[in-house]
Amino acid sequence: MKHLVKGQGFGAVIGVVLMLAVFSLIDASGWWTAQTMSNVIHYTAILGILAMGQALVIMTKEIDLSVGSVYGLAGIAFIMLQPALGVAGAILAALMIAAAIGVLQGYAVVRGGLPSMIVTLGGLFTVRGIIYVWTGGSVKAFPEEARNAFVTRLFGGEILGLEAAVFWMLAVAAMLNLVLWATRFGNHVLATGGSAESADSRGVLTGRVKIVTFMLCSVLAGFAGILTLADQPQTHVTIGDLMELEAISAAVIGGCLLSGGRGSLTGAVLGAFIITSFRYELIALGAPSSWFITFVGVVLIVAVIFNQKLARMAGHSV
Amino acid sequence: MKIAKPLAAAAVLATTALSGSLAAAQESDDSYRFVMVSHIGSNDPNMAWLTLSMDEFTKRYPNVQTEYISTNQYSIQELVRLLEQAIATRPDGIAVPIVSSDALEGPLRKAIESGIPVVAFNIADPRPKDERIPYLTYVGGDEYLTGQELGKYALEQAEAGEIPMPERVVCASHDSAHQGLKARCAGMKEVMEAAGAEFEELFIGAEPATARNTMQSYLQANPDTNYIFTVAPWSAPWAWGVANDMGLDPDVDDKGMTIITVDASPAALEGIKAGHVLASSSQGFWLQGYAPMEWLYWYHELGYTPQSDILTGPTVITADAIDHWETMVRKVFGDVYDEQNTW
């Protein structure tokens, strides 16, 4: 039991099991349908990719508030650059823009010694401002031939009846889990967040580790934006608005502790699943959809308390 | 009756503005300078409706100089700053949207007391006439009527067998605090509930993926929904996309889902043209630039003060008149028209 509890995503697993049990009791016929599952899993995939990036940053004891704006900017870049660069070129350019933002923010945090909350809050506003300026505050069309291009369908189409985003999320999760749990870099990420001084003394380049995680976080946010727009290429200046809060919530519900050094990528995806599922169920139960944000706040607080208790049970000092 | 009066005033106004009457008035020796202080900045293509109509006005009344000043920031403070700057230049008249009666009351009352006539456009002071800012008149649309007229049109089409009768109507709103959007939903609600349909307002937010997820969740939980009213034109393609993905046959025909939206924007017009959207509405933006200038002019020249608000809309836009609307909106939007077609 103790071994199971030690898993950082254990709290999220319990959350999912409880949630499914309750939903089955109150709304089995509405919840357990192929359409509901498809809807919930599709959005979980998008939010899950954002949440995994956020989880990596939180594991290093930092936070990234700019992911919603970066998600939006990369998506907008994909649409706006497509006429000049083609679909593949636009995707690459959008990811490079996202990576550059991540590196810049990471550099400001590490080299400037600034709190990541302030740096990325600045990033959130700056990037949102760029979206306004670039789009002129308006929506932009994506040509029909670009929508039907193979690369667009690869990211936004369907595979075996499921949205491509779901497979991309699974691929990203597998790859990042491998990196986190089976490579030196993954070890360094956890060491940096656990105790930067101790990690420094053992030769871990904690600054570089943090910059790389900020970059990964931005790239994943950008990638999620591209997946969204490849599926439904309808932009708006508000694209990604408040998604940073959902991503952080998903990561925290999934077992990431803001004190760093502990977290779970799978837990972050499960956190995204919980958030998305509750959005559906609240609407299904007839609650005003604006209650959703209240729910996220309550679950977030409950999850933090629960995850801290679990961590203490597992012998961690948090 | 309450509605007929301002609509009639708008009709008369439009006729006189566009047909060439009152020609004698333009022979006046007096010259004037009118300023429109606007929240619609150069980043919003709708600005062109206002600036083009003001250009038309100055061609017709060459003794009047008009100025359009606006902010690209969605900021009431910035609008108040622009308004105060405009008042300081002592113009002969000001047209301004009452985006916040609290914020604009002080400077506007001072301007009016100092003898500068003011016309509200696009957004009225919502308070009763004896409590509101004492401007000459309001020239603009009526959001409640927008929902109501679109609802009536949909019912006519349903009764004619062109689309299904409404069973459950969802009003998809991106801003739960926006009084104008709430009024649009309320107008639609009155008509639909009177026709025996269920009605619900759904806050979808303005983030596209979240909005789609919210709409999809609602449609799954409420499978009897067969009308979606999006209170912004850019969310109509989102609604259609969700319904289409769910196999709900959202095109305009006698089965499945029916989508209704607002605005004479490229997304709305192209949606109607493609058979995805039943109808949209225009709030008469062109008149909202022209008519405030004329009333300011007539106030100076003839001493006229309108006794009611002047409604410039809604005009229901349907497939029958889509070519006319497309031609007109293309002239105003230019190349941006195609860029904004997100279908």
Side-chain angles (χ1 to χ4, degrees):
Chain A
M1 182 65 189
K2 195 155 184 172
H3 177 73
L4 187 63
V5 170
K6 277 188 176 180
Q8 285 90 332
F10 183 62
V13 173
I14 292 180
V16 168
V17 170
L18 273 174
M19 180 187 79
L20 292 180
V22 173
F23 287 2
S24 299
L25 276 174
I26 60 174
D27 183 28
S29 60
W31 173 254
W32 293 111
T33 65
Q35 270 196 339
T36 303
M37 287 297 115
S38 164
N39 172 23
V40 169
I41 289 170
H42 181 201
Y43 191 77
T44 297
I46 302 289
L47 184 58
I49 291 172
L50 277 160
M52 282 191 281
Q54 191 66 246
L56 283 172
V57 173
I58 292 176
M59 283 179 211
T60 67
K61 212 175 178 174
E62 302 291 350
I63 198 155
D64 188 344
L65 298 178
S66 70
V67 289
S69 296
V70 174
Y71 164 97
L73 182 63
I76 295 282
F78 167 53
I79 300 287
M80 301 285 275
L81 296 175
Q82 179 277 327
L85 305 176
V87 174
I91 289 174
L92 269 177
L95 289 176
M96 284 168 72
I97 290 169
I101 293 167
V103 169
L104 273 175
Q105 293 188 139
Y107 199 82
V109 169
V110 172
R111 302 284 178 239
L114 301 168
S116 55
M117 189 174 280
I118 301 301
V119 169
T120 57
L121 183 64
L124 180 154
F125 289 124
T126 307
V127 173
R128 183 63 57 191
I130 293 170
I131 292 174
Y132 272 99
V133 171
W134 199 1
T135 60
S138 181
V139 294
K140 297 290 167 192
F142 196 57
E144 194 63 36
E145 63 271 20
R147 290 178 193 220
N148 297 326
F150 170 73
V151 182
T152 309
R153 301 324 304 153
L154 185 66
F155 289 96
E158 285 190 358
I159 302 168
L160 302 171
L162 269 177
E163 301 286 347
V166 177
F167 293 96
W168 283 107
M169 184 273 287
L170 291 173
V172 168
M175 203 168 63
L176 287 180
N177 268 305
L178 197 68
V179 168
L180 188 64
W181 304 114
T183 67
R184 260 164 68 94
F185 175 74
N187 196 14
H188 289 177
V189 167
L190 294 168
T192 300
S195 169
E197 293 77 16
S198 168
D200 272 334
S201 70
R202 286 160 194 242
V204 176
L205 300 170
T206 53
R208 189 181 293 176
V209 168
K210 286 188 178 186
I211 292 171
V212 172
T213 55
F214 272 106
M215 185 192 72
L216 278 173
C217 182
S218 285
V219 168
L220 289 172
F223 186 56
I226 291 164
L227 287 177
T228 303
L229 287 175
D231 175 39
Q232 295 285 341
Q234 289 144 354
T235 63
H236 195 261
V237 288
T238 50
I239 182 170
D241 217 11
L242 294 180
M243 280 186 90
E244 58 279 346
L245 299 184
E246 288 188 16
I248 293 167
S249 303
V252 172
I253 291 168
C256 288
L257 295 180
L258 295 176
S259 49
R262 191 177 152 87
S264 162
L265 297 169
T266 310
V269 175
L270 291 176
F273 180 62
I274 290 174
I275 288 176
T276 312
S277 303
F278 266 91
R279 188 189 341 257
Y280 166 79
E281 201 53 43
L282 284 173
I283 293 169
L285 293 176
S289 46
S290 38
W291 281 20
F292 170 70
I293 199 81
T294 310
F295 152 78
V296 173
V298 172
V299 170
L300 189 61
I301 294 164
V302 171
V304 168
I305 296 167
F306 188 59
N307 284 332
Q308 276 190 346
K309 281 195 181 301
L310 279 178
R312 285 185 188 126
M313 276 172 68
H316 294 276
S317 58
V318 290
Chain B
M1 193 63 196
K2 202 175 165 187
I3 293 158
K5 197 174 166 187
L7 275 177
V12 170
L13 181 67
T15 312
T16 53
L18 299 170
S19 70
S21 64
L22 274 178
Q26 71 187 37
E27 289 164 10
S28 168
D29 293 332
D30 293 327
S31 60
Y32 304 101
R33 185 172 66 87
F34 300 148
V35 181
M36 179 170 272
V37 183
S38 177
H39 62 313
I40 299 169
S42 59
N43 57 346
D44 184 340
N46 279 320
M47 187 181 101
W49 288 107
L50 302 169
T51 51
L52 286 175
S53 63
M54 286 167 71
D55 288 346
E56 261 330 284
F57 175 84
T58 49
K59 277 183 208 162
R60 185 167 163 72
Y61 299 94
N63 56 326
V64 180
Q65 180 195 339
T66 62
E67 290 170 21
Y68 185 91
I69 56 172
S70 65
T71 167
N72 282 354
Q73 296 168 18
Y74 297 99
S75 156
I76 290 169
Q77 287 77 12
E78 183 65 10
L79 188 79
V80 171
R81 192 182 63 77
L82 286 179
L83 177 64
E84 285 174 338
Q85 282 176 357
I87 293 168
T89 66
R90 302 293 307 159
D92 297 300
I94 291 173
V96 63
I98 314 298
V99 290
S100 162
S101 42
D102 288 342
L104 297 178
E105 179 141 30
L108 282 180
R109 278 194 186 272
K110 266 189 214 160
I112 294 164
E113 281 163 17
S114 72
I116 302 172
V118 172
V119 171
F121 81 98
N122 193 251
I123 304 170
D125 185 336
R127 294 172 295 184
K129 200 168 181 181
D130 54 342
E131 290 172 28
R132 74 186 191 185
I133 298 165
Y135 47 68
L136 279 180
T137 188
Y138 162 68
V139 178
D142 182 308
E143 306 299 359
Y144 186 84
L145 274 182
T146 297
Q148 203 178 39
E149 292 300 315
L150 283 166
K152 284 181 189 169
Y153 175 74
L155 276 186
E156 281 170 20
Q157 294 300 300
E159 281 159 8
E162 300 292 328
I163 57 170
M165 283 301 284
E167 289 175 28
R168 177 182 281 272
V169 182
V170 61
C171 183
S173 172
H174 57 277
D175 186 344
S176 60
H178 193 307
Q179 290 308 310
L181 304 185
K182 279 182 169 301
R184 287 176 186 176
C185 290
M188 178 67 79
K189 181 181 179 177
E190 188 203 294
V191 176
M192 290 300 162
E193 285 189 340
E198 297 284 323
F199 187 94
E200 199 160 349
E201 193 174 330
L202 179 71
F203 171 56
I204 59 169
E207 202 292 305
T210 312
R212 278 195 292 269
N213 182 242
T214 304
M215 279 192 272
Q216 194 166 347
S217 299
Y218 182 86
L219 295 178
Q220 277 166 227
N222 299 278
D224 54 336
T225 308
N226 66 342
Y227 280 41
I228 304 175
F229 177 35
T230 68
V231 292
W234 36 263
S235 53
W238 305 351
W240 185 88
V242 167
N244 193 47
D245 286 349
M246 293 175 73
L248 298 177
D249 185 14
D251 281 338
V252 179
D253 52 33
D254 60 356
K255 56 188 182 302
M257 185 70 73
T258 298
I259 292 169
I260 304 164
T261 192
V262 293
D263 263 4
S265 70
L269 299 185
E270 290 300 314
I272 295 171
K273 203 172 154 188
H276 300 323
V277 173
L278 173 70
S280 187
S281 66
S282 162
Q283 56 168 303
F285 255 124
W286 195 93
L287 274 178
Q288 291 179 25
Y290 196 98
M293 300 296 115
E294 278 215 317
W295 274 108
L296 289 170
Y297 185 76
W298 292 336
Y299 173 78
H300 281 288
E301 285 288 306
L302 308 169
Y304 285 178
T305 52
Q307 291 304 304
S308 68
D309 289 343
I310 295 159
L311 297 189
T312 56
T315 303
V316 175
I317 302 172
T318 66
D320 297 338
I322 200 66
D323 291 340
H324 156 74
W325 281 98
E326 186 190 343
T327 308
M328 184 163 64
V329 175
R330 275 189 185 279
K331 275 184 194 161
V332 173
F333 279 56
D335 294 339
V336 177
Y337 184 97
D338 288 318
E339 286 176 21
Q340 289 199 7
N341 175 15
T342 53
W343 290 96

